[in-house]
Amino acid sequence: MAQSASAPALSRQTAPPVPQAPQASQAGLGRFVGLLGAVFLVVFLAAFPHVVTSQYYIHLLIVIAIYAILILGLDIVVGYTGQVSLGHAGLFGIGAYAAAVLFLKLKLGLWFGLLAGIGVTAGFGLLLAIPALRVSGPYLAMVTLAFGTIIQIFINEMTDLTNGPLGITLPPARVLDFSLIGMQAPWGAAGRKLEFYYLVCACLLLTILVVNRVVRSPFGRAFEALRDSPIACDCMGVSVYRYKVYAFVISAALAGLAGALFAWSERYVAPNSYGFELTVLFLLAVTMGGRKSRSGPLIGAAIIVMMPNILADIGLVRIMAGIIAAVAVIVVGLAFLRRRDDRMTLLIPGALCLAFFPATLAMDSVTDFRLTVFGLMILFVVYYLPEGIVGFLREKLPFLRPAHTGATQELAASGDALIRQGGRSGADPLLTVERALMQFGGLKALNEVDLAIRPGTIHGLIGPNGSGKSTMMNVLTGIYKPTAGSVTLAAGTDAAKRLDGRTPSEIALSGVARTFQNVQLFREMTALENVLVGLHHSFQGTLFDAILGTPRRRREEREARARAMAILDFVGLGALAQIEARNLPYGKQRLLEIGRALALDPVLLLLDEPAAGLTAPDIAELTLIIRKIRDAGITVILIEHHMDVVMGLCDRVSVLDFGHKIAEGGAREVQSDPKVIEAYLGSPVADAAE
């Protein structure tokens, strides 16, 4: 039987060169830059009020720090999980009002206000996340925007609780009350004015530390995985919905902390302070500063705090517009002189920058057009700086790129790559599919198909395109819930377990792993981190373990990395552990996907056309790996169009055609079956009639 004509032409091409892993010196430099940046931030915050004594600028830096706390949390939702939230202004307002109402009603001060801001806002974040995160994309944006509007109306109307449109006035914040113990503040009256400033700075530094630890933990890897491929994330046993909720609650808690600090900083809260304009500013800060970084939110916060002050001064706006226009002319001119490939794409932003200068000369004030300016800035950044300012700098200056976690460590494999799986002994099936029906409207993609997969075998599932093979894969892994029929897994000594009706993450944790017809890797994560997502089930630590960096957290991470390296060595990718998945050649991506699936310690591995698009050497390597997997006791279901691979590997083969099972048996037996030949090559009677 001939190989399918649909196999990509890539299989006949020479494999591209394999990228090199980052040198230890480069990774060490990245870590050194990060450490140097942290030291600089601490020194800058500590020295600023002693160098710049103006209370106006000190207050401005306080507001920047408060906004940065919120934006660091927002980056978890927008940057790491890829969700768009327009409700963080509402969460910011809840935190502010939680602190203010606590003082208004109970006369409880700053510290109780901070705790209330965090707790109450986290609760509202959970309340919003449970329904909102069942949708995505523009629908999620609309739901969160509606939430922010409702909160503003609620605050305005609940006059008994919030004092309505009049707002709430707070006294000066008292951080440390030495009078309670009959003492004077040891740093004197001048130092007391800076107590709140240093409290905000401490909260900012603590937030950076917490966010850094969370995003470098299994929780952070789960957040990134669900952004890149929610389907693959679920099939790795990581519940997409649950981790979206985790991310949203963490982000909401930080928004509440920022809100409470803001209330005591401004000493006044009112409903109109937390409207749509603030939402736009927060989104602008995340996109312009740069996602997935700690410096990006700091830069973004500084921009959105300074921008309204700049726009209020028309003279300064005109000077800046002139500078921007001159820079635009130089950049576009050089692009055309050097015949750069992107010179035509630079014309539109160049023209807009040039037109902004005469527009400012014709206006007496830009204040009324603030939202327009902010909106244009967002569009500009999204289109021309998709990774923000920090991402742009990292692209141009490689030493600024962060070292991947563990990149400078000497990673070594430890333990067995595969846990031997026996499944059920004897001839009893490991997986049983009975009368599976999968119907889409009037189309029956699967029509009462029966399968019995014996343990310790490689079971082929073949058929022409559109025969229902991938549909069967999706039914077995919970992506599709079958219209009728049952799927039962009998693994080990446990009682048989029904899989139909379970979620993909539940099925994955039951011992069923898979790869995909179209590679579904977590593209911005390294090969090592991809496998670590597969090992997510082995982590028992909680979110507090991640935040506190407990010994259990460090031990689990160390053991998981050693096991992940063993798996990468098993599939021949040990030398590429620190390469991002998107930079791997296609054949290596296929092997990485198999390695990630093996990290689940499956009893049953489903391979969906793993040889598609591979070169002959890659196919030979893949065949060897699949045999080693089978020899480890892991049962394999293989969908494949390369019939030489099927004939060489499979102990038993089932053939589908238009959703029906038309043949089953040994590989050679099936290959000579007239129904199979007809399904692949057409009806001999019809051919003769032509």
Side-chain angles (χ1 to χ4, degrees), residues 369-429:
F369 300 95
R370 284 187 305 176
L371 280 178
T372 303
V373 173
F374 295 151
L376 290 173
M377 289 174 68
I378 290 176
L379 289 175
F380 183 88
V381 170
V382 168
Y383 192 78
Y384 293 101
L385 291 175
E387 300 298 325
I389 294 172
V390 171
F392 175 78
L393 293 175
R394 286 174 176 173
E395 182 182 352
K396 299 300 181 183
L397 304 172
F399 69 87
L400 292 178
R401 296 172 189 169
H404 287 285
T405 308
T408 58
Q409 300 173 5
E410 195 65 36
L411 294 173
S414 176
D416 295 330
L418 304 186
I419 294 178
R420 296 195 167 268
Q421 303 288 0
R424 291 279 185 179
S425 59
D428 293 336

Side-chain angles (χ1 to χ4, degrees), residues 66 89-103 113-114 116-118 120-121 155 162 168 170 255-266 268-270 273-274 278:
I66 290 172
L91 295 170
F92 186 60
I94 290 172
Y97 265 90
V101 169
L102 204 63
F103 177 81
L114 297 183
I118 295 171
V120 172
T121 311
I155 291 173
T162 65
I168 301 174
L170 298 173
L257 171 61
L261 288 171
F262 188 75
W264 281 101
S265 168
E266 302 301 306
Y268 177 73
V269 293
S273 302
Y274 311 99
L278 197 58

Side-chain angles (χ1 to χ4, degrees), residues 63-302:
V63 176
I64 291 172
I66 290 172
Y67 279 11
I69 291 171
L70 183 143
I71 296 162
L72 283 161
L74 182 58
D75 187 45
I76 293 177
V77 172
V78 175
Y80 283 88
T81 70
Q83 309 300 306
V84 178
S85 171
L86 298 178
H88 271 62
L91 295 170
F92 186 60
I94 290 172
Y97 265 90
V101 169
L102 204 63
F103 177 81
L104 179 67
K105 300 297 182 181
L106 301 176
K107 301 304 178 185
L108 295 176
L110 172 65
W111 293 103
F112 288 100
L114 297 183
L115 294 176
I118 295 171
V120 172
T121 311
F124 269 91
L126 178 63
L127 199 64
L128 171 63
I130 289 174
L133 293 178
R134 294 191 181 277
V135 296
S136 60
Y139 302 103
L140 174 62
M142 294 304 295
V143 170
T144 53
L145 179 60
F147 169 79
T149 304
I150 291 170
I151 290 299
Q152 192 174 14
I153 295 171
F154 175 82
I155 291 173
N156 196 60
E157 296 296 328
M158 295 291 292
T159 53
D160 292 340
L161 181 66
T162 65
N163 215 22
L166 297 177
I168 301 174
T169 301
L170 298 173
R174 180 169 291 184
V175 179
L176 298 173
D177 192 356
F178 287 94
S179 64
L180 295 176
I181 54 175
M183 290 179 57
Q184 295 289 330
W187 37 79
R192 296 218 46 183
K193 293 181 180 179
L194 297 177
E195 286 178 1
F196 185 76
Y197 167 82
Y198 283 115
L199 172 64
V200 172
C201 292
C203 289
L204 173 62
L205 296 173
L206 183 61
T207 299
I208 292 172
L209 177 64
V210 168
V211 170
N212 210 45
R213 286 186 170 178
V214 168
V215 299
R216 294 189 176 206
S217 73
F219 289 87
R221 287 193 290 266
F223 296 157
E224 288 197 71
L226 68 88
R227 179 202 65 224
D228 284 347
S229 179
I231 292 176
C233 189
D234 255 336
C235 290
M236 289 298 102
V238 181
S239 171
V240 168
Y241 178 67
R242 182 188 309 160
Y243 280 89
K244 280 184 180 179
V245 172
Y246 283 154
F248 211 89
V249 170
I250 294 170
S251 183
L254 292 177
L257 171 61
L261 288 171
F262 188 75
W264 281 101
S265 168
E266 302 301 306
R267 295 173 49 198
Y268 177 73
V269 293
N272 58 3
S273 302
Y274 311 99
F276 179 70
E277 182 176 335
L278 197 58
T279 292
V280 175
L281 284 174
F282 291 152
L283 191 60
L284 173 62
V286 171
T287 54
M288 180 168 282
R291 64 185 180 90
K292 293 175 59 180
S293 71
R294 256 43 79 220
S295 54
L298 298 176
I299 295 172

Side-chain angles (χ1 to χ4, degrees), residues 499-521:
L499 299 184
D500 50 289
R502 293 177 180 266
T503 65
S505 59
E506 290 173 338
I507 292 175
L509 295 176
S510 298
V512 180
R514 70 166 294 177
T515 64
F516 295 84
Q517 183 176 358
N518 299 314
V519 177
Q520 295 284 334
L521 291 174

